[in-house]
């Protein structure tokens, strides 16, 4: 075993990617219809969650022995649920689009 563990770690560690390189890599990537739709759907779900939280407020306090709500608040739980479900659906659609893209690339290579 090595005497100095930190020197061995320094020898094998990799630098984190720079933001400019990452942005350039994403710009080279071509999105298909499913992936563009997934991004659009996520944006709609983000704004939709905020709107639903305002339309259906939660009850902040109510009178004793009554169902009447005296103070209403922004419904953060409905917003978070909408965002979470939208994220899950978006990931599924985006993944399906990625699979379609991979299958198209395989098809192009097989035709050559």
């Amino acid at each position: 075993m090595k005497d100095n563990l930190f020197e061995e770690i320094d020898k094998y560690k990799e630098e984190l990617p720079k933001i400019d390189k990452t942005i350039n890599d994403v710009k080279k990537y071509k999105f298909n219809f499913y992936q563009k739709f997934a991004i659009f759907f996520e944006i709609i779900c983000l704004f939709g969650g905020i709107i639903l939280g305002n339309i259906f407020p939660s009850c902040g306090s109510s009178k004793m022995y009554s169902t009447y709500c005296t103070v209403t608040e922004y419904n953060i739980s409905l917003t978070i649920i909408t965002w979470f479900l939208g994220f899950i659906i978006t990931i599924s659609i985006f993944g399906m689009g990625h699979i379609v893209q991979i299958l198209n690339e395989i098809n192009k290579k097989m035709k050559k």
Side-chain angles (χ1 to χ4, degrees):
M1 200 160 163
K2 299 278 182 181
D3 293 330
N4 193 347
L5 181 64
F6 293 110
E7 287 178 3
E8 189 169 339
I9 290 172
D10 287 339
K11 187 168 58 173
Y12 291 109
K13 77 174 184 179
E14 294 181 13
E15 292 295 322
L16 291 174
K18 302 291 182 193
I19 190 75
D20 296 336
K21 184 181 181 307
T22 307
I23 289 173
N24 288 336
D25 290 343
V26 171
K27 285 181 181 177
K28 292 177 188 175
Y29 190 77
K30 302 290 184 205
F31 295 115
N32 61 14
F33 172 75
Y34 292 106
Q35 293 166 332
K36 289 177 185 176
F37 178 75
I39 294 169
F40 176 73
F41 184 75
E42 182 62 26
I43 293 170
I44 295 297
C45 285
L46 287 175
F47 288 117
I50 295 170
I51 292 169
L52 283 176
N54 281 324
I55 291 175
F56 301 107
S58 62
C59 187
S61 66
S62 62
K63 292 184 177 182
M64 192 175 230
Y65 306 116
S66 174
T67 58
Y68 180 71
C69 190
T70 57
V71 177
T72 59
E73 299 175 345
Y74 179 77
N75 197 344
I76 190 73
S77 60
L78 183 61
T79 302
I80 291 175
I81 289 171
T82 304
W83 287 351
F84 179 73
L85 291 176
F87 181 73
I88 297 296
I89 293 170
T90 299
I91 292 296
S92 301
I93 295 170
F94 195 87
M96 185 173 52
H98 191 67
I99 291 171
V100 167
Q101 189 174 26
I102 290 172
L103 290 174
N104 282 337
E105 289 175 9
I106 291 171
N107 188 28
K108 287 178 187 175
K109 288 182 181 180
M110 290 190 66
K111 284 184 179 179
K112 287 184 180 181

